[in-house]
Amino acid sequence: FSPETQSMLVPTKGGQFTVNVNAPQNCDYAVKSNSNWIFVSSSPVLSGNGQVTFRVRMNTTIRRTGTITVGGQTIGITQSRDGIL
């Protein structure tokens, strides 16, 4: 299976975001954030094709990075006001 992206740039104002995941039917996988400013809104365990939904807090610094792990694969999240990954 695979997430549709390996990295994502989000604005400093934060918000809610979604990443599609392509997976075979009945393929279960865990979803977890490694950062206290990225909150997974979708179920922590998904199965088959699905969407990982997460919320990002407003950023008071210029730039920060974190990750979401989807079944052992990492999606890098960069929050930056300069728009650069």
Side-chain angles (χ1 to χ4, degrees):
F1 70 94
S2 63
E4 71 179 341
T5 186
Q6 305 291 304
S7 62
M8 187 174 236
L9 178 64
V10 299
T12 55
K13 68 179 179 178
Q16 184 136 331
F17 306 91
T18 301
V19 174
N20 293 318
V21 177
N22 297 313
Q25 188 175 17
N26 298 322
C27 176
D28 297 341
Y29 49 94
V31 180
K32 183 179 178 185
S33 166
N34 80 333
S35 302
N36 64 357
W37 52 274
I38 303 171
F39 301 95
V40 176
S41 307
S42 55
S43 174
V45 178
L46 297 172
S47 183
N49 289 332
Q51 292 185 326
V52 173
T53 304
F54 61 96
R55 184 172 50 87
V56 175
R57 283 189 189 169
M58 184 181 352
N59 184 5
T60 57
T61 63
I62 294 175
R63 179 185 171 94
R64 62 184 172 183
T65 60
T67 62
I68 296 174
T69 304
V70 179
Q73 297 189 39
T74 302
I75 301 171
I77 307 298
T78 300
Q79 192 173 30
S80 173
R81 70 173 134 194
D82 62 9
I84 298 172
L85 272 174

